[in-house]
Amino acid sequence: MLRNRLEERFEDFKKAFKRLKESTEIKLENDIIIDGVIQRFEFTFEQSWKLMKLYLEYEGIEEAKSPRSTIREAFKYGIIEDGDDWISMMIDRNKTSHVYDEETAVEIYNSIKSNHVNLLEKLLNKMDDLL
């Protein structure tokens, strides 16, 4: 049962990641693209930490409850390699709920393109190996 949920969550994450990665490859012509990339990032990040949480539960590790504790445990157990970068990504995700100015939106967009997509792709590859 838990294994099925884990596999379903992984498929959802893969789909979300694919859509996010595609969106970061679109030529930046206007603010609507930034908004769309940020929205896809929000969804993909949510999928990623919930996938890690479920995998940790599957492995019998119950300490992961929130995004921060899940990232900490995923780093501890070698699911992710870049714990500090994941915390930075989580902080950016939290900022997206409160982005009111264009400058912050552009900063987050640039971080998504330059760093966050790579971290998410590493997780996708790691989970592909594990499952």
Side-chain angles (χ1 to χ4, degrees):
M1 182 72 153
L2 187 57
R3 175 70 183 201
N4 289 344
R5 281 185 36 219
L6 181 59
E7 289 172 356
E8 288 172 9
R9 174 75 66 191
F10 182 52
E11 288 302 315
D12 290 344
F13 171 66
K14 284 196 300 190
K15 289 174 190 172
F17 175 77
K18 180 182 179 210
R19 291 178 57 95
L20 172 63
K21 190 166 184 179
E22 287 171 351
S23 71
T24 63
E25 295 167 356
I26 295 172
K27 182 179 175 194
L28 186 58
E29 295 176 359
N30 57 44
D31 293 345
I32 201 159
I33 292 173
I34 292 174
D35 295 346
V37 169
I38 288 174
Q39 187 172 24
R40 286 183 178 190
F41 165 68
E42 290 172 334
F43 183 72
T44 305
F45 179 80
E46 292 300 311
Q47 291 289 326
S48 72
W49 84 262
K50 290 176 181 178
L51 172 65
M52 291 187 288
K53 179 181 182 294
L54 193 56
Y55 180 78
L56 290 164
E57 286 175 16
Y58 179 74
E59 292 294 318
I61 301 155
E62 300 291 330
E63 290 78 16
K65 304 290 182 199
S66 66
R68 186 177 297 273
S69 64
T70 298
I71 290 167
R72 190 174 25 251
E73 293 300 312
F75 178 71
K76 180 178 174 181
Y77 288 97
I79 297 169
I80 58 172
E81 300 170 0
D82 317 81
D84 290 339
D85 288 341
W86 272 85
I87 294 296
S88 294
M89 180 166 46
M90 179 195 70
I91 291 168
D92 278 352
R93 164 55 186 99
N94 292 342
K95 285 181 191 175
T96 63
S97 301
H98 309 288
V99 173
Y100 301 114
D101 66 281
E102 185 178 339
E103 184 178 324
T104 303
V106 170
E107 287 174 12
I108 292 171
Y109 170 82
N110 288 331
S111 292
I112 292 167
K113 284 190 71 157
S114 66
N115 191 43
H116 301 341
V117 166
N118 295 329
L119 294 172
L120 292 162
E121 189 164 31
K122 284 182 185 179
L123 174 62
L124 188 144
N125 293 333
K126 179 70 171 187
M127 294 306 296
D128 205 26
D129 292 342
L130 293 172
L131 298 177

